[in-house]
Amino acid sequence: MAQYKYQLEESDIPTQWYNVAADLPTPLPPPIHPATHQPIGPEALAPLFPMALIEQEVSSERFIDIPDEVREIYKLWRPTPLYRAHRLEKALDTPARIYYKYEGVSPAGSHKPNTAVAQAYYNKEAGVRRLTTETGAGQWGSALAMACNFFGLELKVYMVKVSYHQKPYRRVMMETWGAEVVASPTSDTHAGKAILEQDPESPGSLGIAISEASEDAATKDDTKYSLGSVLNHVLLHQTVIGQEAMKQMEMAGDYPDVVIGCVGGGSNYAGLCLPFMRDRLVGGKGTRFVAAEPEACPSITRGEYAYDFGDTAETTPLMQMHTLGHTFVPPGIHAGGLRSHGMSPIISKLCADGHMEARAYHQNGAFEAAVQFARTEGILPAPEAAHAVRAAIDEALAARESGQRSNILFNLSGHGHFDLAAYDQYLSGKLEDYAYPEEKIKEAMAGIPKV
Ligand SMILES: *Cc1c(COP(=O)(O)O)cnc(C)c1O
């Protein structure tokens, strides 16, 4: 009998996070000050983050212990299952073996609680009373709302306006866990007011919401800010995914030839792929790494690897990353979690150094893959994760063409139960594809700082 599911024990939950910075052949370019262009010190981040997280952000320790309190909460849904997609393989008539790690079993429905719980813990330890954050599709806000609730922290979520209206149920979920949720841009902050003066109808963007949430935190003593992707410490916390997947692939008796994930800011994909990337960087394995992004927000495939701000109001340090320009406002595609102008510095560097490739997909192609996945494997992927499913199916079809067996591993970062309006549009033929116009990209790129 074929085995479909590889399930670990609680005791297999990793006890340490893996920090790829220790194994990069050349160091990550440091974050720099926007005016002086000098590397910033930890104190520059102190108004926003507790020191324990800042230390992780700049750490070059290979393994960092996971606090017991965090691991206890992980036990509510970890270890997550790894599946072999036998039914999808059969439907595709491919010699490839398709494996996927499923992070949608967390209470918030995605991988995001892996870092939300850790961040809430370190803030609580540091005596912080209240957190602020931004959320795109609402997945990050939900994860952090749950985590703050566990640790008795208050939370205000600046939710990108287009998602606030598209996904009312995500707001209700955050409110159920006790968070306050507002539609960004708001008139509660200087950054929000400035945007509304220029464009009262602004649909919002992650960049704008980040400006609002970070201003709120930086101007209050008892408040800190929390980011759900992009930063090194966020990617670090997600590496529980890949460490578990390595054990599960061993149970299956296979090693992946290609590791795939969707990328918004890069955290779920980094979480799955970095432990395998270590085998490539220091073990000399020839594994391929494929990051799947949307055509509507193609930061790796069409952006530039350059120093840029993380936010629209130009308040953050500059980071070297693949960027579409910090003034970029992507169209309101359904994969709200993939609407970030900037890619994580770690993922960006791995792409720039040739260890990873990126591919961009239209949302109709992604939903076509998601529906085929749902009809064979049962699970309805989140629209973000649908991009990874598309890339995995394309790899499996290429294997059919070439007749070569390959082992494909991808991250199914979340379920799509709050995205049924998007499925409805796809199924009724009303979903539109947007490729971001070249002139618009040029326009936003003209605004990145000259370093
Ligand atoms: C937020 C989110 C993403 C995109 O963010 P990354 O940091 O790139 O992982 C992808 N999938 C799901 C389900 C998400 O919630």
Side-chain angles (χ1 to χ4, degrees):
M1 289 292 280
Q3 189 164 353
Y4 285 77
K5 195 171 168 194
Y6 298 90
Q7 185 68 66
L8 300 168
E9 305 292 326
E10 270 180 15
S11 58
D12 292 312
I13 298 173
T15 55
Q16 296 182 310
W17 292 300
Y18 166 61
N19 181 13
V20 75
D23 290 318
L24 290 174
T26 54
L28 279 175
I32 60 175
H33 190 277
T36 64
H37 294 175
Q38 292 304 307
I40 55 159
E43 69 291 344
L45 296 172
L48 293 180
F49 303 107
M51 204 42 78
L53 291 176
I54 296 173
E55 279 164 12
Q56 292 179 358
E57 188 62 24
V58 299
S59 171
S60 51
E61 289 281 309
R62 183 166 289 110
F63 291 101
I64 295 177
D65 288 344
I66 303 176
D68 287 342
E69 292 86 340
V70 172
R71 218 165 153 270
E72 278 303 305
I73 294 179
Y74 280 173
K75 287 180 187 170
L76 291 175
W77 70 93
R78 304 210 71 84
T80 62
L82 179 111
Y83 292 92
R84 168 117 181 245
H86 286 288
R87 294 173 53 87
L88 177 62
E89 287 169 18
K90 195 150 181 248
L92 296 171
D93 188 24
T94 177
R97 295 183 178 184
I98 306 175
Y99 293 91
Y100 62 98
K101 180 76 167 158
Y102 184 42
E103 288 293 306
V105 294
S106 83
S110 77
H111 65 288
K112 293 207 169 72
N114 297 331
T115 183
V117 170
Q119 293 192 44
Y121 167 81
Y122 289 115
N123 274 287
K124 184 69 182 182
E125 282 291 286
V128 173
R129 192 184 66 77
R130 173 179 179 268
L131 289 183
T132 63
T133 196
E134 78 295 328
T135 195
Q139 279 131 327
W140 169 241
S142 322
L144 193 62
M146 179 187 81
C148 283
N149 164 68
F150 285 149
F151 288 104
L153 294 165
E154 275 180 35
L155 174 65
K156 179 167 177 177
V157 181
Y158 293 83
M159 186 171 185
V160 177
K161 193 180 278 168
V162 57
S163 304
Y164 185 92
H165 294 301
Q166 271 179 358
K167 301 191 173 174
Y169 296 141
R170 279 278 170 196
R171 171 178 56 76
V172 177
M173 200 173 184
M174 290 184 260
E175 289 171 349
T176 303
W177 276 314
E180 177 191 357
V181 187
V182 290
S184 164
T186 72
S187 48
D188 302 355
T189 65
H190 293 295
K193 279 188 204 143
I195 297 287
L196 289 175
E197 270 164 29
Q198 279 175 17
D199 178 10
E201 302 303 315
S202 166
S205 71
L206 271 182
I208 296 169
I210 290 173
S211 299
E212 290 207 271
S214 57
E215 176 187 326
D216 181 337
T219 52
K220 291 185 193 70
D221 279 345
D222 62 350
T223 302
K224 298 245 183 262
Y225 165 70
S226 177
L227 190 63
S229 187
V230 177
L231 298 180
N232 302 343
H233 67 267
V234 180
L235 274 57
L236 173 81
H237 300 153
Q238 294 295 351
T239 59
V240 288
I241 303 173
Q243 293 182 73
E244 288 177 6
M246 273 191 138
K247 286 191 186 168
Q248 289 161 310
M249 289 300 295
E250 262 170 46
M251 289 167 77
D254 274 329
Y255 191 92
D257 297 300
V258 54
V259 181
I260 295 170
C262 67
V263 289
S267 73
N268 87 82
Y269 181 44
L272 175 69
C273 84
L274 292 180
F276 293 97
M277 181 61 80
R278 183 173 184 222
D279 285 351
R280 177 181 167 118
L281 295 175
V282 301
K285 281 234 198 260
T287 315
R288 285 188 302 124
F289 292 86
V290 177
E293 62 180 13
E295 281 282 5
C297 191
S299 58
I300 308 178
T301 51
R302 288 171 68 196
E304 232 174 82
Y305 184 46
Y307 271 103
D308 196 7
F309 292 99
D311 72 331
T312 308
E314 309 190 344
T315 57
T316 66
L318 302 180
M319 292 184 299
Q320 189 166 357
M321 57 187 178
H322 282 90
T323 177
L324 291 162
H326 60 279
T327 58
F328 174 86
V329 179
I333 56 163
H334 287 283
L338 305 185
R339 297 174 75 239
S340 159
H341 73 272
M343 183 51 55
S344 97
I346 288 175
I347 293 289
S348 294
K349 182 168 167 55
L350 289 168
C351 287
D353 291 350
H355 293 296
M356 188 180 280
E357 57 195 281
R359 290 185 207 147
Y361 297 98
H362 282 295
Q363 54 179 357
N364 273 298
F367 273 95
E368 182 196 18
V371 168
Q372 184 170 28
F373 188 82
R375 289 180 183 175
T376 48
E377 294 295 313
I379 299 169
L380 269 81
E384 293 84 0
H387 291 72
V389 179
R390 175 78 268 162
I393 289 180
D394 285 358
E395 283 287 333
L397 292 175
R400 182 172 73 188
E401 287 304 304
S402 69
Q404 287 205 331
R405 204 203 104 181
S406 70
N407 296 324
I408 301 168
L409 170 65
F410 76 94
N411 201 28
L412 191 65
S413 51
H415 67 64
H417 298 176
F418 291 93
D419 304 282
L420 296 177
Y423 275 88
D424 191 28
Q425 282 194 0
Y426 171 75
L427 294 171
S428 57
K430 289 185 196 135
L431 199 65
E432 283 176 45
D433 281 338
Y434 309 84
Y436 211 72
E438 197 59 41
E439 322 81 74
K440 283 274 186 188
I441 293 180
K442 286 219 178 85
E443 203 179 296
M445 291 304 296
I448 72 172
K450 307 276 172 288
V451 174

